[in-house]
Amino acid sequence: MAAPSRLKATSASPGVATGPAYVAEPVAAAASPPSSLSGHAELGDAIRTATRELQNLVTETDPDSGDIIEFQIEVLQDPTLTEMVGTRIDAGENVAFAWVGTLDGYILELECSEEDQMRARAVDILDIKNRVLSILTGTSLDDFPAGSIYVGRDMEPSRFLAHDWSAGGGIALYGGSAVGHVALLARSRSIPMVIGAGEFAIEGGQHIEVDGDLGVVSLQTAKENTTPARSDRPATSTALSADNGRLRTADGSQVLLSINVNAPDEVDSIPAATAAGIGLMRSEFAVTSLGDAANEEKQFAIYRRLLDWADGRAVTIRMLDIGGDKPLAGLTDASSLRGVRLLLARPEIARVQARALLRTAIFGGLRVMLPMVTFPSDVDNMREIFREESTELARRGVPHRIPPIGMMVEVPAAALMLDRFESADFFSFGTNDLAQYLVASPREDADFALYQDRAVPAVLRLLSQAVKLAGAKPVSICGDMAGDPSRTADLLAAGIHHFSVAPARLPAIRSAIVGLNADGTKAAGE
Ligand code: PEP
Ligand code: MG
């Protein structure tokens, strides 16, 4: 067998994986084009498809079930229903949300009916609501074979999330950035990944090794390579301390250590007592399609699961940070808006999430965090949405509570006027975005790491200034800088005493903190 050729790359997530290559099309070419249909035409198509599916079901089913399906078909054919959805589309709502909003109103009416028979119909309508919704939003990128090594220029976060990594596998990117969203996901799931390998020739199926420890890609020259697929993921430390993430610096000051979570199942292998709670849950990695964004019950179940895990500890759910390089699958209207700006421009998305969060809040220490906040009005306007949805839930008799609402500090303008954010209950520094806007270089670019390193003094100066402006409000940090032990002293010196990090970083940050004083100076004897 010929010796493998080695390519120097940069490590983005540790561990070694070997397997057949899956060579991806360039992202732009592979992405599905935005739908050119109007909302009305999309709705008509989806209703016709759902009707056809139901008609096929009638022929295969018993008479009782047949009656239910006939009733569902009748509802779908009702022109009043289409008109009601159409009115919402004309008012600017996305077709999926117009459909969900109309059907939810109908379901609520049936649920509140005095007649048993009418109440029993609610579930039949729920069924057609979900059937049409999945047709409207069922756009997903092609998956690649389990156990293979993804090779390409870049990778979409939604593709990473949809893939089954249980059989191992890894990622080798020609370009990319270690601070990009996929790298962040790879580290949190312990998937070996390298970036910046440069464009290299490889055939689909050819064996390849990704060494995320050394930052190397090795290609087998013979296609009929016999190296079995394997994946040596970094061992997740078993030496986690059950101190509830409450540590003391060498001179006795308290520091909190929380975890960052991207998907609800990530917490399954982590004992809750090893952290003060969840300092950042990136909801956009759990709510990955327009269908999920319109699905209040699915979101409620995700958030509730995290609160159950936390067992009374704080759980900070960040509202959807979608837009820009984190598109929501199915949201085809092109826009450069991201985070809270997009949510306020598409309030139907924010309202569904707000309702799910309001209902979750009664089960524990939920805190809601807003992404990419720039101005105080961003927080005020979102707070108003929570108030309105709370009033609506109260009218329907649904138990809920308004949780504390805080914000990410990841836009430099917000950091520099933190004292003006009167309606924010807490602040969390997002150094990944702060750095990209400070150095004027997209964080997904290969050169970003270099610029970021050289701009560390600027980021630290900004943080220490912002901590002072925050006054008495709780302040924490959840950007990647929090998980880098070589920066712990600087962050303590800047006045930050609550760190939220990827679970794998807990041991390193814990040992860094105990060797330092509260002001970041080294403890005597260290
Ligand atoms: C950040 O910007 O530092 C942050 C934590 O948010 P994200 O990485 O999800 O953009
Ligand atoms: Mg950010």
Side-chain angles (χ1 to χ4, degrees), residues 198-220:
E199 198 139 352
F200 56 89
I202 184 164
E203 282 177 42
Q206 185 176 343
H207 271 241
I208 171 173
E209 180 176 271
V210 168
D211 188 330
D213 298 326
L214 298 176
V216 167
V217 173
S218 306
L219 311 178
Q220 298 291 168

Side-chain angles (χ1 to χ4, degrees), residues 179-181 184 260 262 280 282 284-285 318 321 325-326 338 369 371-372 408-411 428-437 443 477-481 500:
V179 207
H181 297 113
L184 195 143
N260 290 352
N262 300 311
L280 165 66
R282 294 178 164 99
E284 64 276 10
F285 291 142
R318 184 172 74 187
D321 185 14
D325 54 2
K326 284 195 267 194
R338 181 181 152 192
M369 184 150 75
M372 301 300 292
M408 292 285 301
V409 183
E410 50 187 348
V411 177
S428 186
F429 292 109
T431 43
N432 307 336
D433 278 309
L434 263 183
Q436 84 162 331
Y437 295 116
R443 61 194 266 194
I477 177 168
C478 60
D480 280 3
M481 201 183 234
S500 190

Side-chain angles (χ1 to χ4, degrees), residues 34-94:
S35 167
S36 57
L37 293 179
S38 74
H40 293 276
E42 275 186 74
L43 177 68
D45 278 359
I47 288 181
R48 273 189 294 280
T49 307
T51 307
R52 258 197 319 276
E53 287 176 2
L54 289 171
Q55 281 162 342
N56 290 339
L57 276 180
V58 182
T59 56
E60 300 161 8
T61 196
D62 62 273
D64 279 350
S65 313
D67 285 351
I68 296 170
I69 299 172
E70 296 283 8
F71 164 74
Q72 292 180 321
I73 294 175
E74 238 173 76
V75 173
L76 282 178
Q77 305 289 297
D78 184 350
T80 326
L81 181 71
T82 324
E83 270 165 37
M84 286 168 76
V85 184
T87 308
R88 297 180 81 129
I89 295 173
D90 290 339
E93 274 190 33
N94 170 281

Side-chain angles (χ1 to χ4, degrees), residues 491-513:
L491 293 172
L492 286 172
I496 298 172
H497 296 105
H498 185 173
F499 295 66
S500 190
V501 303
R505 310 302 301 154
L506 283 173
I509 300 304
R510 192 172 257 115
S511 6
I513 287 168

Side-chain angles (χ1 to χ4, degrees), residues 409-433:
V409 183
E410 50 187 348
V411 177
L416 288 166
M417 52 181 178
L418 224 44
D419 52 330
R420 310 253 169 120
F421 288 84
E422 278 158 24
S423 67
D425 292 325
F426 61 89
F427 302 117
S428 186
F429 292 109
T431 43
N432 307 336
D433 278 309

Side-chain angles (χ1 to χ4, degrees), residues 243 245-249 253-257 509-510 513-514:
D243 55 8
R246 288 172 188 278
L247 286 81
R248 296 263 161 209
T249 55
S253 203
Q254 180 170 274
V255 174
L256 296 180
L257 202 46
I509 300 304
R510 192 172 257 115
I513 287 168
V514 297

Side-chain angles (χ1 to χ4, degrees), residues 27 141 144 150 154-163 165 171 180-186 189 282 284-286 288 321 323-329 444:
V27 169
L141 288 162
F144 51 100
Y150 178 99
D154 214 338
M155 186 182 200
E156 309 84 332
S158 52
R159 195 191 286 256
F160 180 98
L161 289 160
H163 184 65
W165 293 101
I171 303 168
H181 297 113
V182 168
L184 195 143
L185 288 168
R189 299 268 181 103
R282 294 178 164 99
E284 64 276 10
F285 291 142
T288 55
D321 185 14
D325 54 2
K326 284 195 267 194
L328 184 68
E444 310 286 339

Side-chain angles (χ1 to χ4, degrees), residues 305-324:
R305 177 173 170 187
L306 293 171
L307 261 71
D308 286 349
W309 170 85
D311 197 19
R313 296 169 186 83
V315 174
T316 312
I317 310 263
R318 184 172 74 187
M319 288 188 82
L320 293 166
D321 185 14
I322 47 176

